[in-house]
Amino acid sequence: MSDKGELDLTGAKQNTGMWLVKVPKYLSQQWNKALGRGEVGKLRIAKNQGRTEVSFTLNEDLANIEDIGGKATSISAPRDHPFLLQNVGGQTLTVFTESSGESQTDEKSDSSNNEKLSLEGIVVQRAECRPAANESYMKLKRLQIEESSKPVSWTMQLDKAVTTNYKPVSNHQYNIEYDKKKKEDGKRARAEKQQVLDMLFSAFEKHQYYNIKDLVDITKQPVIYLKEILREIGIYNFKGPHKSTWELKPEYRHYQNEDKSD
């Protein structure tokens, strides 16, 4: 007994031999369509001149293939499938099954279900289930190849030009204006702070209020750099009749009057 569940070695004790068989994809898909435990086909094992011959015949009710790659179709799958027998090749291959069952432990147990792992047997024969190369198989294979070779996207020639309300443009206007503004700011070289202060004080001697655009035109300085200096000496009006404008702080607003009084 392990922490995760129980290991059943009945198959190993009984030395059960099993076959490992590779089947075509379409065959396994048709098997899945069988209802409940319905019959999927018949397996025939015979001896021919001392050689073992194995073949599988698909049930006629499961031979109809309704779609390939999501596309509706109505073809019949090959029914006859001879086996190509192969040696195990010195390998030790085993088959396990996993199931879950209710535990009979107390309610305080950490888990109410235990996983059960069973060793069903040891692989003694490998084989490959191949469809007989008949007309049904060739038709099925051709449709599968055609479906897989279809391109994901394709081009289409239009008879007339497409006219819509929204036509593509190489660049939108707001992008052009932003790039222009960014280019202009990049061309402006930062002047010495004192030189910018002199230009601002000189401007505010003429007018009390300025918007940022006018101050940029006067000083020829980048907007970000100019705002850093304005925050030190000015006040930005968020409301009132002079909304969105700058003016000098009171301590700088009357500095010329004080000089004149002296």
Side-chain angles (χ1 to χ4, degrees), residues 14 36 107 126 137 140 146 152 215 219 228 231 238 256:
Q14 295 178 352
E107 293 181 357
R126 297 181 64 177
Y137 175 70
L140 171 63
E146 289 176 357
V152 179
L215 292 175
T219 61
E228 290 178 359
R231 291 189 189 100
F238 289 95
Q256 285 191 341

Side-chain angles (χ1 to χ4, degrees), residues 31 72 75 86 102-105 124 150 183 188 210 261:
W31 287 351
I75 63 173
Q86 302 171 349
E102 294 185 357
S103 174
Q104 302 297 326
T105 57
V124 296
K150 285 184 179 180
K183 188 175 181 181
R188 296 190 181 103
Y210 284 95
S261 62

